[in-house]
Amino acid sequence: MKSPGPRNRPVRSFVRREGRITEAQKRALEELLPRYGVTPAEAPLDFIALFGRDAPVHLEIGFGNGEALATMAAAHPQNNYLGIEVHRPGVGMLLRRLEAEGLANVRIACSDARELLEQRIPEGSLSGVYVFFPDPWHKKRHHKRRLVQAAFVALLARKLNPGGLLHLATDWEDYARQMLTVLSAAEGFDNTAGQNQFAPRPEARPHTRFERRGQRLGHGVWDLIFRRGTHS
Ligand SMILES: C[S@@+](CC[C@H](N)C(=O)[O-])C[C@H]1O[C@@H](n2cnc3c(N)ncnc32)[C@H](O)[C@@H]1O
């Protein structure tokens, strides 16, 4: 059978680049990922088995080096946190922090968020979804790679439970406007800031590497917080 050509390949929101990985990060991936990681499998995730308890599950997509995820998990020990990231050095960094800080309420999937959501996250199972500073793919011909698009938002709407929050932040103004347009048009979401408004930056949102980078470059920051309606 012929393998799918480039035309049939799905458009991805990331490029898999290993970049620099330290020995300590490599060791963390080998030794700690079996403890904190989601095993690759076809089956839907059983969150009670995965976390060893029944608690609200919050998901961060593209956590980078995991600063926000670890900070949120430490601040809210009553919640479970699942992080998805394809960049292995970042996963290694977060694993080291989880172990150093003894954070027991975090699990990690080192895979494509879109695939994991489609194949393994049960419908209506998430209390919160966070996408902080997703790759902006700022060239027009790359806009199709942006994560926040109508189909992806519809997928998130199915996975959030009624009342669950979707929190996005970006330092790219045209992507922020695209996010606002897509979310305002999406079924099942209410804008917590009011129609067509960005949300004020919540003080509790942890600063991340990419937010700091944007600030150094003089970029603004836009937050969007939408609630999954209880009516649809
Ligand atoms: C610009 S970085 C932001 C990282 C972090 N949230 C921050 O604010 O510092 C975007 C991250 O999203 C990850 N990413 C992009 N698409 C993804 C996908 N489909 N599944 C999982 N991770 C993804 C990339 O690997 C990258 O680390």
Side-chain angles (χ1 to χ4, degrees):
M1 202 169 61
K2 257 170 74 178
S3 63
R7 273 172 204 287
N8 301 330
R9 231 176 265 150
V11 177
R12 297 226 187 260
S13 59
F14 57 90
V15 180
R16 240 184 242 279
R17 266 193 228 106
E18 183 81 354
R20 246 180 333 122
I21 184 157
T22 65
E23 280 308 312
Q25 288 162 359
K26 262 194 216 157
R27 209 172 37 244
L29 286 162
E30 281 162 19
E31 291 171 10
L32 301 177
L33 199 54
R35 183 170 1 140
Y36 293 100
V38 165
T39 49
E42 292 295 316
L45 291 173
D46 173 346
F47 284 141
I48 298 180
L50 181 66
F51 288 94
R53 65 172 186 172
D54 190 4
V57 178
H58 292 248
L59 170 71
E60 185 180 357
I61 296 171
F63 60 71
N65 60 19
E67 290 171 285
L69 191 59
T71 306
M72 293 189 294
H76 303 284
Q78 74 281 13
N79 293 334
N80 291 332
Y81 287 85
L82 176 62
I84 315 182
E85 177 53 71
V86 285
H87 187 57
R88 286 164 45 86
V91 173
M93 266 176 101
L94 176 60
L95 286 166
R96 283 168 52 76
R97 182 159 171 192
L98 296 182
E99 196 193 33
E101 295 184 15
L103 287 170
N105 57 339
V106 180
R107 296 292 179 274
I108 298 176
C110 192
S111 55
D112 180 351
R114 221 172 341 218
E115 285 175 13
L116 197 93
L117 278 155
E118 276 166 3
Q119 296 163 15
R120 303 198 58 199
I121 302 228
E123 314 274 298
S125 65
L126 301 173
S127 297
V129 175
Y130 309 93
V131 191
F132 296 148
F133 304 92
D135 296 295
W137 294 107
H138 57 271
K139 290 183 187 156
K140 199 153 180 88
R141 70 190 154 91
H142 287 151
H143 282 187
K144 57 181 180 293
R145 285 178 171 271
R146 286 179 167 176
L147 201 54
V148 183
Q149 318 229 16
F152 187 68
V153 166
L155 177 63
L156 295 180
R158 294 208 312 273
K159 305 297 169 171
L160 275 163
N161 60 37
L165 290 179
L166 171 59
H167 184 175
L168 312 175
T170 181
D171 61 328
W172 284 82
E173 187 167 3
D174 80 299
Y175 197 6
R177 297 208 171 281
Q178 172 178 332
M179 289 174 177
L180 190 58
T181 304
V182 167
L183 273 164
S184 301
E187 289 233 350
F189 280 112
D190 299 320
N191 189 343
T192 63
Q195 216 182 350
N196 231 14
Q197 301 296 315
F198 291 104
R201 184 195 196 290
E203 258 187 47
R205 175 166 65 69
H207 286 276
T208 66
R209 175 165 168 238
F210 275 85
E211 179 170 23
R212 288 191 295 275
R213 178 181 174 274
Q215 281 166 338
R216 277 200 307 277
L217 296 172
H219 296 179
V221 172
W222 292 267
D223 282 82
L224 299 93
I225 306 179
F226 280 66
R227 180 171 287 110
R228 174 83 172 85
T230 44
H231 43 273
S232 49

